[in-house]
Short mmCIF file of all heavy atoms in Angstrom, two decimals:
data_model
loop_
_atom_site.label_atom_id
_atom_site.label_comp_id
_atom_site.label_asym_id
_atom_site.label_seq_id
_atom_site.Cartn_x
_atom_site.Cartn_y
_atom_site.Cartn_z
N CYS A 1 -79.29 159.48 -90.59
CA CYS A 1 -79.91 158.21 -90.20
C CYS A 1 -79.09 157.03 -90.74
O CYS A 1 -78.84 156.06 -90.02
CB CYS A 1 -81.35 158.14 -90.73
SG CYS A 1 -82.23 156.65 -90.24
N LEU A 2 -78.62 157.15 -91.99
CA LEU A 2 -77.78 156.09 -92.58
C LEU A 2 -76.52 155.89 -91.74
O LEU A 2 -76.15 154.76 -91.43
CB LEU A 2 -77.42 156.45 -94.03
CG LEU A 2 -76.43 155.50 -94.72
CD1 LEU A 2 -77.05 154.13 -94.94
CD2 LEU A 2 -75.96 156.09 -96.06
N CYS A 3 -75.87 156.99 -91.36
CA CYS A 3 -74.63 156.89 -90.58
C CYS A 3 -74.89 156.21 -89.23
O CYS A 3 -74.09 155.39 -88.79
CB CYS A 3 -74.02 158.27 -90.38
SG CYS A 3 -73.41 158.99 -91.93
N ARG A 4 -76.00 156.56 -88.60
CA ARG A 4 -76.33 155.93 -87.31
C ARG A 4 -76.54 154.42 -87.48
O ARG A 4 -76.10 153.63 -86.66
CB ARG A 4 -77.58 156.58 -86.71
CG ARG A 4 -77.31 157.96 -86.15
CD ARG A 4 -78.53 158.56 -85.47
NE ARG A 4 -78.25 159.91 -85.02
CZ ARG A 4 -79.08 160.64 -84.29
NH1 ARG A 4 -80.26 160.14 -83.94
NH2 ARG A 4 -78.75 161.86 -83.92
N LEU A 5 -77.25 154.05 -88.55
CA LEU A 5 -77.50 152.63 -88.80
C LEU A 5 -76.19 151.88 -89.08
O LEU A 5 -75.98 150.77 -88.59
CB LEU A 5 -78.46 152.45 -89.98
CG LEU A 5 -79.92 152.84 -89.74
CD1 LEU A 5 -80.70 152.86 -91.04
CD2 LEU A 5 -80.60 151.88 -88.75
N LEU A 6 -75.30 152.51 -89.85
CA LEU A 6 -74.01 151.88 -90.15
C LEU A 6 -73.20 151.70 -88.87
O LEU A 6 -72.55 150.67 -88.67
CB LEU A 6 -73.22 152.74 -91.15
CG LEU A 6 -73.76 152.79 -92.59
CD1 LEU A 6 -73.03 153.86 -93.40
CD2 LEU A 6 -73.66 151.44 -93.29
N ASP A 7 -73.26 152.70 -87.97
CA ASP A 7 -72.53 152.61 -86.70
C ASP A 7 -73.12 151.53 -85.80
O ASP A 7 -72.40 150.80 -85.11
CB ASP A 7 -72.55 153.95 -85.97
CG ASP A 7 -71.74 155.01 -86.71
OD1 ASP A 7 -70.93 154.63 -87.58
OD2 ASP A 7 -71.92 156.21 -86.42
N MET A 8 -74.46 151.43 -85.78
CA MET A 8 -75.14 150.46 -84.93
C MET A 8 -74.95 149.03 -85.42
O MET A 8 -74.74 148.11 -84.65
CB MET A 8 -76.65 150.74 -84.90
CG MET A 8 -77.09 151.80 -83.95
SD MET A 8 -78.83 152.18 -84.26
CE MET A 8 -79.60 150.59 -83.99
N GLU A 9 -75.07 148.87 -86.74
CA GLU A 9 -75.16 147.51 -87.32
C GLU A 9 -73.82 146.98 -87.80
O GLU A 9 -73.67 145.78 -88.01
CB GLU A 9 -76.20 147.51 -88.46
CG GLU A 9 -77.61 147.73 -87.92
CD GLU A 9 -78.62 148.17 -88.98
OE1 GLU A 9 -78.21 148.42 -90.14
OE2 GLU A 9 -79.80 148.26 -88.65
N ASN A 10 -72.87 147.89 -88.03
CA ASN A 10 -71.52 147.50 -88.45
C ASN A 10 -71.53 146.42 -89.54
O ASN A 10 -70.98 145.33 -89.36
CB ASN A 10 -70.74 147.01 -87.22
CG ASN A 10 -69.26 146.90 -87.50
OD1 ASN A 10 -68.73 147.61 -88.34
ND2 ASN A 10 -68.59 145.98 -86.81
N PRO A 11 -72.17 146.71 -90.69
CA PRO A 11 -72.29 145.66 -91.71
C PRO A 11 -70.94 145.24 -92.28
O PRO A 11 -70.04 146.06 -92.44
CB PRO A 11 -73.14 146.34 -92.80
CG PRO A 11 -72.98 147.80 -92.58
CD PRO A 11 -72.77 147.98 -91.12
N GLU A 12 -70.83 143.94 -92.58
CA GLU A 12 -69.59 143.44 -93.20
C GLU A 12 -69.45 144.01 -94.61
O GLU A 12 -68.42 144.54 -94.99
CB GLU A 12 -69.61 141.91 -93.26
CG GLU A 12 -69.35 141.27 -91.91
CD GLU A 12 -69.48 139.75 -92.00
OE1 GLU A 12 -69.02 139.18 -93.01
OE2 GLU A 12 -70.04 139.17 -91.06
N LEU A 13 -70.51 143.86 -95.39
CA LEU A 13 -70.58 144.45 -96.74
C LEU A 13 -71.98 145.03 -96.92
O LEU A 13 -72.97 144.31 -96.72
CB LEU A 13 -70.32 143.41 -97.82
CG LEU A 13 -68.90 142.87 -98.03
CD1 LEU A 13 -68.90 141.84 -99.14
CD2 LEU A 13 -67.91 143.98 -98.35
N ALA A 14 -72.06 146.30 -97.30
CA ALA A 14 -73.37 146.94 -97.46
C ALA A 14 -73.46 147.63 -98.82
O ALA A 14 -72.47 148.21 -99.29
CB ALA A 14 -73.60 147.96 -96.35
N ILE A 15 -74.65 147.55 -99.43
CA ILE A 15 -74.91 148.33 -100.65
C ILE A 15 -75.96 149.38 -100.31
O ILE A 15 -77.01 149.07 -99.73
CB ILE A 15 -75.40 147.46 -101.82
CG1 ILE A 15 -74.39 146.37 -102.17
CG2 ILE A 15 -75.66 148.34 -103.06
CD1 ILE A 15 -74.79 145.46 -103.33
N VAL A 16 -75.65 150.64 -100.63
CA VAL A 16 -76.59 151.74 -100.43
C VAL A 16 -77.11 152.12 -101.82
O VAL A 16 -76.35 152.57 -102.68
CB VAL A 16 -75.89 152.96 -99.77
CG1 VAL A 16 -76.85 154.13 -99.62
CG2 VAL A 16 -75.29 152.56 -98.42
N PHE A 17 -78.41 151.91 -102.04
CA PHE A 17 -78.99 152.20 -103.35
C PHE A 17 -79.56 153.61 -103.39
O PHE A 17 -80.33 154.01 -102.52
CB PHE A 17 -80.10 151.20 -103.70
CG PHE A 17 -79.59 149.88 -104.19
CD1 PHE A 17 -79.61 148.76 -103.37
CD2 PHE A 17 -79.09 149.75 -105.48
CE1 PHE A 17 -79.13 147.54 -103.81
CE2 PHE A 17 -78.60 148.54 -105.94
CZ PHE A 17 -78.62 147.43 -105.10
N VAL A 18 -79.16 154.35 -104.42
CA VAL A 18 -79.65 155.72 -104.61
C VAL A 18 -80.26 155.83 -106.00
O VAL A 18 -80.05 154.97 -106.86
CB VAL A 18 -78.51 156.76 -104.44
CG1 VAL A 18 -78.01 156.80 -103.02
CG2 VAL A 18 -77.36 156.48 -105.41
N ARG A 19 -80.99 156.94 -106.21
CA ARG A 19 -81.76 157.05 -107.45
C ARG A 19 -80.99 157.68 -108.61
O ARG A 19 -81.26 157.38 -109.76
CB ARG A 19 -83.03 157.87 -107.16
CG ARG A 19 -84.13 157.67 -108.18
CD ARG A 19 -85.39 158.38 -107.76
NE ARG A 19 -86.18 157.58 -106.84
CZ ARG A 19 -87.05 158.09 -105.97
NH1 ARG A 19 -87.21 159.39 -105.89
NH2 ARG A 19 -87.74 157.30 -105.18
N THR A 20 -80.06 158.57 -108.31
CA THR A 20 -79.38 159.28 -109.40
C THR A 20 -77.86 159.21 -109.25
O THR A 20 -77.33 158.97 -108.16
CB THR A 20 -79.79 160.78 -109.44
OG1 THR A 20 -79.35 161.41 -108.24
CG2 THR A 20 -81.29 160.94 -109.57
N LYS A 21 -77.18 159.49 -110.37
CA LYS A 21 -75.71 159.48 -110.37
C LYS A 21 -75.16 160.58 -109.45
O LYS A 21 -74.19 160.39 -108.73
CB LYS A 21 -75.19 159.71 -111.79
CG LYS A 21 -75.62 158.63 -112.78
CD LYS A 21 -75.28 159.04 -114.19
CE LYS A 21 -76.36 158.57 -115.14
NZ LYS A 21 -76.18 159.02 -116.51
N ARG A 22 -75.83 161.76 -109.51
CA ARG A 22 -75.41 162.88 -108.67
C ARG A 22 -75.51 162.50 -107.19
O ARG A 22 -74.62 162.77 -106.40
CB ARG A 22 -76.27 164.11 -108.96
CG ARG A 22 -75.72 165.39 -108.34
CD ARG A 22 -76.70 166.54 -108.41
NE ARG A 22 -77.30 166.64 -109.72
CZ ARG A 22 -78.57 167.04 -109.92
NH1 ARG A 22 -79.33 167.35 -108.90
NH2 ARG A 22 -79.06 167.13 -111.14
N ARG A 23 -76.62 161.85 -106.84
CA ARG A 23 -76.84 161.43 -105.46
C ARG A 23 -75.76 160.41 -105.03
O ARG A 23 -75.27 160.45 -103.92
CB ARG A 23 -78.23 160.83 -105.33
CG ARG A 23 -78.61 160.41 -103.94
CD ARG A 23 -79.22 161.53 -103.13
NE ARG A 23 -80.60 161.24 -102.85
CZ ARG A 23 -81.35 161.91 -102.00
NH1 ARG A 23 -80.84 162.93 -101.33
NH2 ARG A 23 -82.60 161.59 -101.79
N ALA A 24 -75.41 159.51 -105.96
CA ALA A 24 -74.36 158.51 -105.66
C ALA A 24 -73.06 159.21 -105.30
O ALA A 24 -72.40 158.85 -104.31
CB ALA A 24 -74.17 157.57 -106.84
N ASP A 25 -72.68 160.21 -106.08
CA ASP A 25 -71.43 160.96 -105.81
C ASP A 25 -71.51 161.70 -104.48
O ASP A 25 -70.57 161.68 -103.69
CB ASP A 25 -71.16 161.96 -106.94
CG ASP A 25 -70.71 161.28 -108.23
OD1 ASP A 25 -70.21 160.14 -108.15
OD2 ASP A 25 -70.88 161.88 -109.31
N GLU A 26 -72.66 162.35 -104.22
CA GLU A 26 -72.81 163.14 -102.99
C GLU A 26 -72.74 162.25 -101.74
O GLU A 26 -72.04 162.57 -100.78
CB GLU A 26 -74.16 163.88 -103.00
CG GLU A 26 -74.21 165.04 -103.99
CD GLU A 26 -75.63 165.58 -104.22
OE1 GLU A 26 -76.60 165.01 -103.65
OE2 GLU A 26 -75.76 166.56 -104.97
N VAL A 27 -73.47 161.14 -101.77
CA VAL A 27 -73.50 160.24 -100.61
C VAL A 27 -72.12 159.61 -100.39
O VAL A 27 -71.64 159.51 -99.25
CB VAL A 27 -74.61 159.16 -100.75
CG1 VAL A 27 -74.53 158.12 -99.64
CG2 VAL A 27 -75.99 159.81 -100.76
N THR A 28 -71.47 159.20 -101.48
CA THR A 28 -70.14 158.60 -101.36
C THR A 28 -69.15 159.57 -100.72
O THR A 28 -68.43 159.22 -99.78
CB THR A 28 -69.61 158.16 -102.76
OG1 THR A 28 -70.55 157.29 -103.36
CG2 THR A 28 -68.27 157.47 -102.65
N GLU A 29 -69.11 160.80 -101.24
CA GLU A 29 -68.18 161.80 -100.70
C GLU A 29 -68.46 162.10 -99.23
O GLU A 29 -67.55 162.23 -98.42
CB GLU A 29 -68.24 163.10 -101.52
CG GLU A 29 -67.56 163.01 -102.87
CD GLU A 29 -66.16 162.41 -102.79
OE1 GLU A 29 -65.33 162.94 -102.01
OE2 GLU A 29 -65.88 161.40 -103.47
N ALA A 30 -69.75 162.23 -98.88
CA ALA A 30 -70.13 162.53 -97.50
C ALA A 30 -69.73 161.39 -96.56
O ALA A 30 -69.26 161.62 -95.45
CB ALA A 30 -71.63 162.80 -97.42
N LEU A 31 -69.90 160.14 -97.02
CA LEU A 31 -69.49 158.98 -96.21
C LEU A 31 -67.98 158.96 -96.00
O LEU A 31 -67.48 158.73 -94.90
CB LEU A 31 -69.95 157.67 -96.87
CG LEU A 31 -71.44 157.32 -96.75
CD1 LEU A 31 -71.78 156.14 -97.65
CD2 LEU A 31 -71.84 157.00 -95.30
N LYS A 32 -67.24 159.24 -97.08
CA LYS A 32 -65.77 159.25 -96.98
C LYS A 32 -65.31 160.32 -95.98
O LYS A 32 -64.39 160.09 -95.19
CB LYS A 32 -65.15 159.53 -98.35
CG LYS A 32 -65.16 158.34 -99.28
CD LYS A 32 -64.56 158.76 -100.61
CE LYS A 32 -64.38 157.58 -101.56
NZ LYS A 32 -63.85 158.02 -102.86
N LYS A 33 -65.97 161.49 -96.02
CA LYS A 33 -65.59 162.58 -95.10
C LYS A 33 -65.81 162.17 -93.64
O LYS A 33 -65.14 162.67 -92.75
CB LYS A 33 -66.40 163.84 -95.42
CG LYS A 33 -65.83 164.61 -96.60
CD LYS A 33 -66.68 165.82 -96.95
CE LYS A 33 -66.13 166.52 -98.20
NZ LYS A 33 -67.07 167.50 -98.73
N ARG A 34 -66.78 161.30 -93.41
CA ARG A 34 -67.04 160.83 -92.04
C ARG A 34 -66.21 159.59 -91.68
O ARG A 34 -66.39 159.01 -90.63
CB ARG A 34 -68.53 160.52 -91.87
CG ARG A 34 -69.40 161.76 -91.85
CD ARG A 34 -70.62 161.56 -90.99
NE ARG A 34 -71.52 162.70 -91.07
CZ ARG A 34 -72.69 162.77 -90.45
NH1 ARG A 34 -73.11 161.75 -89.72
NH2 ARG A 34 -73.45 163.83 -90.56
N GLY A 35 -65.32 159.20 -92.59
CA GLY A 35 -64.39 158.13 -92.27
C GLY A 35 -64.83 156.72 -92.65
O GLY A 35 -64.18 155.75 -92.27
N TYR A 36 -65.93 156.61 -93.41
CA TYR A 36 -66.38 155.28 -93.83
C TYR A 36 -65.60 154.85 -95.08
O TYR A 36 -65.23 155.68 -95.92
CB TYR A 36 -67.88 155.28 -94.14
CG TYR A 36 -68.75 155.58 -92.95
CD1 TYR A 36 -69.26 156.87 -92.75
CD2 TYR A 36 -69.08 154.60 -92.01
CE1 TYR A 36 -70.06 157.16 -91.66
CE2 TYR A 36 -69.88 154.89 -90.92
CZ TYR A 36 -70.36 156.18 -90.75
OH TYR A 36 -71.15 156.47 -89.66
#
């Protein structure tokens, strides 16, 4: 859902807030793998 929103809205600068450090690493790596 996040990826679809990023593709639709094309934000200039976006902050994605997560609850844990582990989650931050996981989401960051997954976004990078999709080319963000």
Side-chain angles (χ1 to χ4, degrees):
C1 183
L2 175 67
C3 292
R4 286 184 183 186
L5 289 169
L6 290 170
D7 292 344
M8 277 171 59
E9 292 162 354
N10 193 28
E12 284 176 40
L13 287 179
I15 302 180
V16 178
F17 281 104
V18 293
R19 200 173 277 156
T20 64
K21 299 170 216 175
R22 191 190 315 146
R23 182 87 113 169
D25 288 337
E26 288 167 357
V27 173
T28 304
E29 285 311 305
L31 284 170
K32 283 179 174 177
K33 280 177 184 168
R34 289 211 185 178
Y36 296 99

